[in-house]
Amino acid sequence: MLVYPSGVDVSSSALRFLSAKLRQRRRDLGTRWRRLSVGRQALLTLAHLRNGHPYAQLAAGFGIGTTTAYRYITEAVEVLAALAPTLAEAVRTAPSKAFVLLDGTLLPIDRIAADRPYYSGKHKRHGMNVQVLADPFGRLLWASPALPGAVHDVRAAREHGIVDALAGAGITCWADKGYRGAGGTVRTPCWGRWEALSTGQQAVNRSHAKIRALVEQAVATLKSWRLLRKLRCSTTRITCLVQAVLTLHLPNSDR
């Protein structure tokens, strides 16, 4: 296999952060020597998450075996995922915001037609449903565990306890029509065909759309990590990957 120099559009602070966490893990395990230093292991993991390259290609580039690459990446992803904020922690920080934005996104997976639980009728493809909370500026606050794509957004929000958590904290949440009937403090647009709505209802829906539009920035933040654009791993590992990306995205001050 040919090897060539390449780049990863990730900040050096993310590399230093992950390297420090891996160094601490090796110290805790009492590890004396490995094929890659903590810096190289961190770079290997970031390249996998950001560019979505398969293990065989990364292994060739880093001069290690495919199994070793898989083991190093899995270890680093688990270290990052363990640092991801829980919903309760995200809700505790939310009162400092005027409100929060809620939306769901589908992470495509390589399932076949027989895997109906993973098929999203809305998106017409197989995937995993992930709920996203963002602040009024579209910055990612929290991402949920992944559920099969057939699960609707309002059901996913209830299963994760998002609606109850926000209502208990008295935090207003703006969401789209997919969360109609969620209750609590979740605000959704007026229901009905546009031409059937009154002038006042149309004005409300326009204002609502402008407020919640910025949540798309948080969703785009997740999918800027190319591995999440087409997942070919076991569905049981997707939650861990999402949480790892969430941890890397959070500002240094929140880590």
Side-chain angles (χ1 to χ4, degrees):
M1 186 178 293
L2 297 177
V3 178
Y4 66 95
S6 184
V8 183
D9 55 340
V10 178
S11 68
S12 58
S13 62
L15 179 65
R16 291 193 298 270
F17 169 74
L18 180 52
S19 297
K21 296 303 178 182
L22 290 174
R23 185 176 296 108
Q24 180 61 48
R25 176 176 173 79
R26 293 189 184 187
R27 189 178 299 118
D28 294 340
L29 294 175
T31 303
R32 301 182 63 182
W33 180 86
R34 290 196 184 185
R35 290 292 303 276
L36 295 182
S37 65
V38 290
R40 295 286 286 173
Q41 183 181 358
L43 182 59
L44 171 71
T45 304
L46 293 176
H48 177 65
L49 293 174
R50 191 66 171 182
N51 296 332
H53 293 322
Y55 298 116
Q57 291 184 6
L58 291 169
F62 282 79
I64 56 178
T66 303
T67 302
T68 302
Y70 172 82
R71 190 171 66 251
Y72 281 5
I73 291 172
T74 300
E75 178 187 41
V77 166
E78 290 175 352
V79 167
L80 289 171
L83 299 171
T86 63
L87 176 60
E89 291 170 341
V91 169
R92 281 199 296 269
T93 64
S96 62
K97 320 291 181 183
F99 54 86
V100 297
L101 306 171
L102 173 64
D103 198 9
T105 187
L106 188 79
L107 302 181
I109 59 176
D110 60 344
R111 301 286 104 171
I112 59 176
D115 294 319
R116 298 302 298 178
Y118 299 100
Y119 184 78
S120 169
K122 175 182 177 181
H123 298 277
K124 308 299 181 185
R125 66 190 307 178
H126 293 80
M128 299 294 284
N129 181 302
V130 173
Q131 300 294 300
V132 172
L133 282 178
D135 68 11
F137 299 98
R139 293 178 297 218
L140 188 61
L141 295 176
W142 178 77
S144 75
L147 293 175
V151 177
H152 296 285
D153 284 339
V154 66
R155 177 184 162 191
R158 286 171 176 157
E159 287 194 18
H160 294 309
I162 300 172
V163 177
D164 291 339
L166 294 176
I171 302 168
T172 302
C173 173
W174 297 80
D176 62 21
K177 292 181 180 179
Y179 297 89
R180 179 172 175 252
T185 56
V186 178
R187 301 289 178 261
T188 57
C190 298
W191 183 260
R193 297 178 62 86
W194 181 259
E195 58 273 13
L197 298 177
S198 66
T199 302
Q201 289 175 322
Q202 290 179 356
V204 168
N205 280 8
R206 288 194 192 95
S207 176
H208 189 283
K210 290 179 180 178
I211 292 173
R212 66 162 300 278
L214 287 176
V215 72
E216 299 299 336
Q217 291 186 14
V219 173
T221 295
L222 275 183
K223 295 189 175 181
S224 66
W225 298 81
R226 298 176 186 87
L227 183 69
L228 300 183
R229 297 180 189 176
K230 183 65 174 181
L231 290 155
R232 296 176 175 83
C233 62
S234 168
T235 55
T236 59
R237 295 191 60 235
I238 294 176
T239 292
C240 198
L241 292 170
V242 171
Q243 291 174 337
V245 169
L246 173 63
T247 299
L248 288 170
H249 171 71
L250 295 177
N252 289 326
S253 58
D254 294 338
R255 290 175 177 165

